[in-house]
Amino acid sequence: MKRKKHKISYINRKTPFDYFLILFFVVVIFITLYPFINVLAISFNDATDTLRGSNMLIPRVFTLANYEYLFTEKNLFPPLMMSIARTLVGTISGVICTAMLAYTLSRRDFYFRKIFTAMFVITMYVSGGLVPEYLLITRTLGLRNNFLVYIIPGVIWVYNVILIRSFIDGLPEALQESAKIDGASDFKIWYRIIVPLCKPVLATVALFLAVGQWNGFMDTYLYAPNLKTLQYMMYEIVNKTGIDPGNTHGQNVEVLASSITPQAIRMAITIVATLPIVIVYPFLQKYFVGGMTLGAVKD
């Protein structure tokens, strides 16, 4: 008689070490998320109640006064629109220009590609410095207090060029050769073949550019103080020690000071500044991981 083989399943068996790992990662997740949750709770909590203690996970006295103060007294809407505009325009133009340059440097029939690649890489280690950059942007290009000062200086990042070029080098050359035989131009090959195949790495570069544009404030401080962005306003508010009575627009300063504190304002503007990136990142995460891994592999 044949003996029946009994299959032993280890799927549902958990060892003490497994429970330890689960507990450990739960603690790590809590430690990671607690600062953001705490900032969110304080931003929605009554400012005077926060003075009793700011260690909280949920608002003790829920209020929208902090956000109302930001968008009315601090006139936060124009800087928010400026940040959105520079992020959208800077990201789209940066992705297009970077992808074009990377495709050009990936072409093996481009005779000077090694020379230009070396020149670009050198700029990653050696720069002209802040003073030449300031003189170039303000005097030579005349971009002071011009919206293009947010776009032109950061339209090409060498690291992104190398990332996209490495991804293109991993694509089959037969695709481009067959397109050439069919009479396709270089530009048509780029936007009909290369761009669709490079979606993962392009999404990765777009995320890099969007985060850089959204978080930038030094360029506003140096070149465009009249075109204030949300991050620059956050920088100004965080560096203030108290409420500015000159921005109360005729309201009762004592009432305002009793209901609003600098800590509450800092927390509220921190949430406003970080929320767009927190919302966008999950949708680009899979492309981000794929672009970082596939972009470094060559056939």
Side-chain angles (χ1 to χ4, degrees), residues 31-32 57 63-64 76 90 106 137 167 197 223 242 292:
I31 294 175
T32 304
L57 294 176
T63 181
L64 295 176
L76 205 62
S106 68
I137 293 176
F167 192 95
L197 294 176
Y223 310 119
M292 290 299 294

Side-chain angles (χ1 to χ4, degrees), residues 30-249:
F30 176 78
I31 294 175
T32 304
L33 294 179
Y34 174 75
F36 182 79
I37 297 176
N38 180 245
V39 171
L40 184 64
I42 296 175
S43 68
F44 283 105
N45 194 61
D46 182 70
T48 55
D49 180 77
T50 304
L51 296 177
R52 298 193 299 110
S54 58
N55 295 325
M56 64 182 78
L57 294 176
I58 59 175
R60 291 191 294 260
V61 182
F62 183 84
T63 181
L64 295 176
N66 300 325
Y67 292 94
E68 291 176 358
Y69 177 79
L70 281 180
F71 286 97
T72 56
E73 303 301 326
K74 291 299 182 181
N75 200 16
L76 205 62
F77 188 75
L80 176 61
M81 292 296 101
M82 182 62 66
S83 293
I84 294 175
R86 70 170 291 183
T87 301
L88 291 177
V89 177
T91 301
I92 294 173
S93 60
V95 169
I96 293 174
C97 295
T98 304
M100 285 183 175
L101 179 59
Y103 171 65
T104 303
L105 295 178
S106 68
R107 293 288 299 269
R108 297 187 178 181
D109 55 349
F110 180 46
Y111 184 78
F112 298 102
R113 70 171 191 153
K114 291 185 178 180
I115 298 176
F116 278 98
T117 301
M119 292 172 60
F120 282 121
V121 172
I122 289 175
T123 61
M124 297 178 65
Y125 300 96
V126 180
S127 64
L130 180 60
V131 174
E133 180 182 352
Y134 181 84
L135 295 177
L136 173 65
I137 293 176
T138 57
R139 295 187 180 181
T140 305
L141 299 179
L143 296 179
R144 183 171 178 81
N145 289 321
N146 191 318
F147 180 75
L148 292 179
V149 77
Y150 294 139
I151 310 302
I152 295 178
V155 74
I156 295 293
W157 291 5
V158 178
Y159 175 80
N160 294 337
V161 173
I162 296 175
L163 191 65
I164 298 178
R165 178 192 167 179
S166 300
F167 192 95
I168 296 176
D169 288 341
L171 300 176
E173 294 185 12
L175 296 175
Q176 300 184 38
E177 294 176 356
S178 60
K180 288 181 182 179
I181 294 175
D182 293 336
S185 62
D186 292 333
F187 183 77
K188 193 171 185 178
I189 293 174
W190 174 76
Y191 82 87
R192 294 293 297 271
I193 297 177
I194 301 300
V195 171
L197 294 176
C198 292
K199 284 183 179 179
V201 71
L202 292 180
T204 303
V205 171
L207 183 62
F208 287 160
L209 293 173
V211 173
Q213 287 284 357
W214 182 261
N215 291 334
F217 71 94
M218 281 302 297
D219 47 2
T220 306
Y221 179 79
L222 294 174
Y223 310 119
N226 295 338
L227 302 175
K228 294 184 179 181
T229 60
L230 181 64
Q231 297 295 338
Y232 183 74
M233 288 293 294
M234 176 181 175
Y235 170 78
E236 288 186 335
I237 294 174
V238 168
N239 281 280
K240 287 184 178 180
T241 57
I243 303 299
D244 185 4
N247 292 331
T248 57
H249 300 290

